[in-house]
Amino acid sequence: MPPASAISAAAAARSLRLASRLTPKSAPLPRGFELSAVSTGVKKNAALDLALIHSTQPCTAAASFTQNLFQAAPVRVSRTILDTTGGTGIRTVAVNSGCANACTGVEGDKDAQTMVDLACEAVGAPKGAGLVLSTGVIGQRLQMEKIKAGLVKAGKGLGNGDEGALKSAATAIMTTDTFPKYLSRALTLPESGVRFTLAGMCKGAGMIHPNMKVHDPTTASATRPLHATMLGVLMTDAPLTAPAATSALSHALGDSFNCISVDGDTSTNDTIVLLANGLAAPKTTTMSAADTATFATHLRTFARDLAAMIVWDGEGATKFVSVRVTAPTEPAARAIASSIATSPLVKTALYGQDANWGRILCAVGYASVPGGVALDAGAVSLKVRSNGGELKLVENGQPKYPIDEAVASKILAEEEIEIVVDMGMGSKAQANYYTCDFSDEYVHINADYRS
Amino acid sequence: MPPASAISAAAAARSLRLASRLTPKSAPLPRGFELSAVSTGVKKNAALDLALIHSTQPCTAAASFTQNLFQAAPVRVSRTILDTTGGTGIRTVAVNSGCANACTGVEGDKDAQTMVDLACEAVGAPKGAGLVLSTGVIGQRLQMEKIKAGLVKAGKGLGNGDEGALKSAATAIMTTDTFPKYLSRALTLPESGVRFTLAGMCKGAGMIHPNMKVHDPTTASATRPLHATMLGVLMTDAPLTAPAATSALSHALGDSFNCISVDGDTSTNDTIVLLANGLAAPKTTTMSAADTATFATHLRTFARDLAAMIVWDGEGATKFVSVRVTAPTEPAARAIASSIATSPLVKTALYGQDANWGRILCAVGYASVPGGVALDAGAVSLKVRSNGGELKLVENGQPKYPIDEAVASKILAEEEIEIVVDMGMGSKAQANYYTCDFSDEYVHINADYRS
């Protein structure tokens, strides 16, 4: 095995290559959105660690939050604000990295609320018109003096013109990420002809297995959303109502942030926020049903492309693996895909480029499939494919002997691999999960994260 | 990081130390049991890879099997035999390592049945009076010519007198295990005064997260037992009826083989068999209720001590971690303990001796607790302890600031650590899980297991 420094050099080279392939050189912001990124000193070496987002016009906002029992203070505070405002009138979002403000007790709640107040003050917005997101070490208090000074400085640095602003903001919310994750797209609503921009950023590399529920302010007390420390902020100038924003975000999560896994650990802080200020169209515009549906489709693709960056940058990852499962029901397909995507034995075999397909079937077999779904081991088919080729491994429960090891090696040598499972029995429901392999680098990163 | 060879040397030294501490120098067999271990050539380098167990008198037998959808051929065949015989009249058990005979289709089923027939022939038992267990690579066929020759040879080598026979048999069923796992105890039933022996062996180091259900021949078609590749055979000369054996095994699993985890992967082959031939007492003896209860208590302790060896020898492990959870219900306590015990982030932090307790709370928070159990984040308490001391980290949901890092380091430097969680709210139900840490050695072992 090469020494740690050589591994890190290889990882660094991979990171540069991925960043250049996956993220745009320039990233225009939607009309009315201003961004700023500063260093507060919470992170070492004067690294950027605070991003401030401001909209000159009030936004409709939708959000999805972790369903972890221990929701972090910023999650609880932001949920309350969405309940109070009904997801309207939001003007600013403050995101810090380095400290998750999670498991910090009642003092942590006060800190998160103070952070919202300071952000609103910094952008000149009314009190309570902001949201707050945090990521970093769990169980440590925010250093509020540094956060306060940082927000004042960030408020002064807000701007819309700089096409590098989104990249800087995405950099400021990173933790173990090796590159900033952001996208910007110019799109058109087909019926009204309205041209709008969709821009967004996210972060995450470990503690990634989101299981979020879109927050519905109208049924707030009845729901407890799900999670991973993954954060994301999506911004648009399309004219969305609050219910349309909630619905579009919910649709988007089903093939993006809620079906990625790095390590199976679901965080206390996972949050995705969607902000829409409507500045792309005249104030009185209401989107037609067709345009609303088109927006939702665009948002789903956009969210998937952003979420995929998290998997590509998974801690210690060397492979991007799509797990595609067809099963009798969608929850069954999701449970099976999730089981494969989180199995340490499947993931270490992928790292080793070992065609140990028995481990995949094994993970299918112990999936926590919701009750009442009948499955038949004798109906299952399994194949793997990549740019290196395709190999059927099991058909109708029977292994395809002998395995062509030369083809298997060629398939598994690729950086991007697909595992395709069909549970048979006329299954039609599909689910995807996006995951990465499991390397010794993951262990190195996580055995000593705090120091 | 040290080179791979240095890690292996350290692991080898640890293994020797553990074997000498955990396993006995001599291990007498119960009356009437004969063991044999041979090399068939399935494993490389003439390593022992086939164990044969024979009882001169017919045994009552109870067994628990994996609930994986893809139950391996030996599991399906052994279950059918227990259904046919009602768990009586069993005379032999054949166990091979190197090939799991799992996901091998209809041909694999035939191979497993042939292995039973050959074992019965080898010990001179009636057809159908045997069980079969396999462990090793999934998805490869058994090399039946080698198995056949091995069983003939093993049949000729059977003996009861050698106090090293159990160790040899335990060695023959190893896969990535670094030391053979076996125990033997001389015990007494208090009411009848019958003196009996309990002996047993098990194997397992990876793909360990058993979730087995004791097989009940009377309701066979209604149940689908659970699993990890863990195998175990427990032998006694105590006079147990088949229902008493089933009941005792079920009681034993609850704090032993069903609450250990190395990697969270539940195997296609997990099997625990209990054989009782009654030779410790006159043929007509029926155990009293008090003696039956005492036997069950002894079996539970015995099974836990055996199961603990699997965790100590977990692939790449450097720590033995007991997770003790008190919750409103036993299933809730088990779900939370399992969630902590399988979290890669908790396990890498333990490897790094990092007091990152936020990750423990996080894993508590995303546990799949059965519906209908109300939990309160504000009621949770958490502490860690070891021979190095005890540290309260959270009380009633509030973190205990500041953490005494010196004490934390002392606690986490120990090889044996306890994580204690109390969900509060007057919780009384308890569950334990035994797990190990997660090291880069685990990745090395599993990235290239087949070669």
Side-chain angles (χ1 to χ4, degrees):
Chain A
M1 193 171 45
S5 58
I7 292 175
S8 295
R14 179 177 182 272
S15 168
L16 278 174
R17 181 166 50 78
L18 288 175
S20 137
R21 195 175 90 203
L22 300 172
T23 59
K25 284 221 184 331
S26 76
L29 293 174
R31 272 156 279 197
F33 281 96
E34 301 176 333
L35 265 61
S36 179
V38 301
S39 165
T40 66
V42 168
K43 272 192 192 165
K44 291 173 189 168
N45 304 322
L48 294 175
D49 57 10
L50 179 71
L52 188 62
I53 295 149
H54 172 239
S55 171
T56 55
Q57 294 298 312
C59 297
T60 55
S64 60
F65 298 107
T66 179
Q67 293 186 83
N68 195 302
L69 178 66
F70 298 96
Q71 289 192 327
V75 170
R76 286 199 297 269
V77 166
S78 292
R79 288 184 65 200
T80 303
I81 291 166
L82 287 176
D83 286 343
T84 309
T85 60
T88 60
I90 300 300
R91 291 274 304 280
T92 184
V93 179
V95 193
N96 78 286
S97 63
C99 173
N101 192 11
C103 304
T104 40
V106 290
E107 297 301 322
D109 288 356
K110 284 183 204 160
D111 291 343
Q113 185 59 57
T114 303
M115 201 167 148
V116 171
D117 296 344
L118 292 169
C120 290
E121 213 175 291
V123 302
K127 213 170 169 175
L131 302 173
V132 56
L133 285 65
S134 299
T135 180
V137 179
I138 301 177
Q140 291 184 357
R141 292 279 304 278
L142 275 176
Q143 300 172 56
M144 289 307 292
E145 282 309 309
K146 291 179 179 175
I147 295 289
K148 183 176 182 177
L151 283 168
V152 170
K153 191 174 161 198
K156 290 176 184 158
L158 287 167
N160 173 280
D162 177 8
E163 296 198 344
L166 185 57
K167 181 177 178 177
S168 296
T171 304
I173 67 174
M174 287 168 35
T175 50
T176 53
D177 306 65
T178 70
F179 62 88
K181 300 166 180 67
Y182 59 97
L183 280 178
S184 172
R185 283 177 190 163
L187 299 160
T188 304
L189 295 175
E191 206 161 80
S192 61
V194 166
R195 301 187 60 185
F196 69 101
T197 300
L198 187 54
M201 61 180 181
C202 66
K203 66 78 49 179
M207 201 177 268
I208 295 292
H209 192 82
N211 181 16
M212 300 177 296
K213 191 164 179 183
V214 173
H215 186 67
D216 183 347
T218 62
T219 60
S221 59
T223 59
R224 184 160 65 83
L226 301 171
H227 67 158
T229 293
M230 178 198 62
L231 299 181
V233 181
L234 313 175
M235 295 161 274
T236 185
D237 47 13
L240 287 181
T241 61
T246 299
S247 166
L249 182 60
S250 191
H251 179 64
L253 291 182
D255 194 42
S256 64
F257 296 107
N258 259 358
C259 53
I260 61 176
S261 187
V262 169
D263 48 21
D265 272 283
T266 314
S267 154
T268 49
N269 288 57
D270 293 343
T271 305
I272 299 289
V273 173
L274 170 62
L275 299 172
N277 67 13
L279 283 172
K283 264 206 169 171
T284 52
T285 304
T286 309
M287 276 164 71
S288 68
D291 279 356
T292 303
T294 300
F295 177 85
T297 303
H298 282 311
L299 187 72
R300 189 171 164 102
T301 308
F302 186 86
R304 193 192 53 214
D305 293 348
L306 266 182
M309 291 186 204
I310 292 176
V311 176
W312 278 108
D313 199 22
E315 288 172 351
T318 73
K319 309 272 183 197
F320 182 98
V321 184
S322 301
V323 181
R324 306 191 186 285
V325 176
T326 309
T329 67
E330 197 272 343
R334 266 187 75 82
I336 293 163
S338 170
S339 185
I340 298 168
T342 52
S343 159
L345 287 172
V346 170
K347 289 156 73 85
T348 48
L350 287 164
Y351 175 55
Q353 306 187 11
D354 178 10
N356 201 327
W357 57 269
R359 293 182 181 173
I360 302 174
L361 271 199
C362 180
V364 171
Y366 68 74
S368 297
V369 172
V373 179
L375 295 174
D376 175 7
V380 177
S381 297
L382 164 67
K383 61 186 172 186
V384 291
R385 65 185 175 212
S386 75
N387 286 337
E390 175 174 305
L391 196 59
K392 290 180 181 172
L393 295 164
V394 178
E395 262 190 336
N396 296 318
Q398 301 300 313
K400 305 279 286 179
Y401 290 121
I403 294 177
D404 188 331
E405 295 281 355
V407 174
S409 293
K410 219 174 149 195
I411 292 169
L412 295 176
E414 293 288 316
E415 197 175 22
E416 197 166 351
I417 294 164
E418 274 182 82
I419 295 172
V420 184
V421 174
D422 186 338
M423 299 304 289
M425 310 166 70
S427 290
K428 294 224 169 87
Q430 289 191 304
N432 297 325
Y433 237 91
Y434 307 101
T435 189
C436 54
D437 57 344
F438 212 162
S439 71
D440 38 13
E441 185 87 352
Y442 176 87
V443 177
H444 300 162
I445 292 166
N446 283 296
D448 198 20
Y449 173 57
R450 292 191 312 161
S451 49
Chain B
M1 193 171 46
S5 59
I7 291 175
S8 295
R14 179 178 183 273
S15 168
L16 277 174
R17 181 167 49 79
L18 289 176
S20 137
R21 195 175 89 203
L22 300 173
T23 59
K25 283 220 185 330
S26 76
L29 294 173
R31 272 155 279 197
F33 280 97
E34 301 176 334
L35 265 62
S36 179
V38 301
S39 164
T40 66
V42 169
K43 272 192 191 165
K44 291 172 189 168
N45 304 323
L48 294 176
D49 57 9
L50 179 70
L52 188 62
I53 295 148
H54 172 239
S55 171
T56 56
Q57 294 298 311
C59 298
T60 55
S64 61
F65 298 108
T66 177
Q67 292 186 83
N68 195 303
L69 178 65
F70 299 97
Q71 288 194 327
V75 170
R76 285 199 297 269
V77 166
S78 292
R79 288 184 64 199
T80 302
I81 291 166
L82 287 177
D83 287 343
T84 308
T85 60
T88 59
I90 301 300
R91 291 276 301 281
T92 184
V93 179
V95 192
N96 78 285
S97 62
C99 173
N101 192 12
C103 303
T104 41
V106 289
E107 297 303 321
D109 288 355
K110 285 182 202 160
D111 292 343
Q113 184 59 57
T114 301
M115 201 168 148
V116 171
D117 295 344
L118 292 169
C120 290
E121 216 173 289
V123 303
K127 214 173 167 172
L131 302 172
V132 57
L133 285 64
S134 299
T135 180
V137 179
I138 301 178
Q140 292 183 358
R141 291 280 302 279
L142 275 176
Q143 300 173 56
M144 288 307 292
E145 283 309 311
K146 290 180 179 172
I147 295 288
K148 184 177 181 175
L151 283 168
V152 170
K153 189 175 160 197
K156 291 175 182 157
L158 286 167
N160 173 280
D162 178 6
E163 296 199 342
L166 185 58
K167 181 176 178 178
S168 296
T171 303
I173 67 174
M174 287 170 30
T175 51
T176 53
D177 305 65
T178 69
F179 62 87
K181 300 166 179 69
Y182 59 97
L183 279 178
S184 173
R185 283 178 190 163
L187 299 160
T188 304
L189 296 175
E191 207 160 79
S192 61
V194 166
R195 301 187 59 184
F196 69 100
T197 300
L198 187 54
M201 61 181 181
C202 67
K203 64 80 50 179
M207 201 177 267
I208 295 292
H209 192 81
N211 181 16
M212 301 177 295
K213 191 163 179 181
V214 173
H215 186 66
D216 183 348
T218 61
T219 59
S221 59
T223 58
R224 185 160 64 83
L226 304 171
H227 67 159
T229 294
M230 176 199 62
L231 300 181
V233 181
L234 314 175
M235 295 161 274
T236 184
D237 47 13
L240 286 180
T241 61
T246 300
S247 166
L249 183 59
S250 190
H251 179 63
L253 291 181
D255 193 40
S256 65
F257 296 107
N258 260 358
C259 53
I260 61 176
S261 187
V262 169
D263 48 21
D265 273 282
T266 313
S267 155
T268 50
N269 289 56
D270 294 343
T271 304
I272 299 289
V273 173
L274 169 63
L275 299 172
N277 66 13
L279 283 173
K283 263 203 170 173
T284 50
T285 304
T286 310
M287 276 163 71
S288 67
D291 280 355
T292 303
T294 300
F295 178 85
T297 303
H298 283 310
L299 188 73
R300 189 171 163 104
T301 306
F302 186 86
R304 193 191 54 213
D305 292 348
L306 266 182
M309 290 185 204
I310 292 177
V311 176
W312 277 108
D313 199 22
E315 289 173 351
T318 72
K319 307 272 184 198
F320 181 98
V321 184
S322 300
V323 180
R324 308 193 185 281
V325 176
T326 309
T329 67
E330 196 272 344
R334 266 187 75 82
I336 292 163
S338 171
S339 185
I340 297 168
T342 53
S343 159
L345 288 172
V346 170
K347 288 157 73 84
T348 49
L350 287 164
Y351 175 55
Q353 306 186 12
D354 178 9
N356 200 326
W357 57 269
R359 292 182 182 174
I360 303 174
L361 271 199
C362 180
V364 171
Y366 68 74
S368 297
V369 171
V373 179
L375 296 174
D376 176 6
V380 177
S381 297
L382 164 67
K383 60 186 173 186
V384 291
R385 63 185 177 212
S386 75
N387 286 337
E390 175 173 306
L391 196 59
K392 290 181 181 173
L393 295 163
V394 179
E395 262 190 337
N396 297 319
Q398 302 299 314
K400 303 280 286 180
Y401 289 122
I403 293 178
D404 187 330
E405 295 281 354
V407 173
S409 294
K410 219 173 150 196
I411 293 170
L412 295 175
E414 292 289 316
E415 197 175 21
E416 196 166 352
I417 294 163
E418 274 182 83
I419 295 172
V420 184
V421 174
D422 186 338
M423 299 304 288
M425 309 165 71
S427 291
K428 294 221 169 90
Q430 288 192 304
N432 297 325
Y433 237 91
Y434 306 101
T435 189
C436 54
D437 57 344
F438 213 162
S439 71
D440 37 14
E441 184 87 352
Y442 176 88
V443 177
H444 301 161
I445 292 167
N446 283 296
D448 197 19
Y449 173 57
R450 293 191 313 160
S451 50

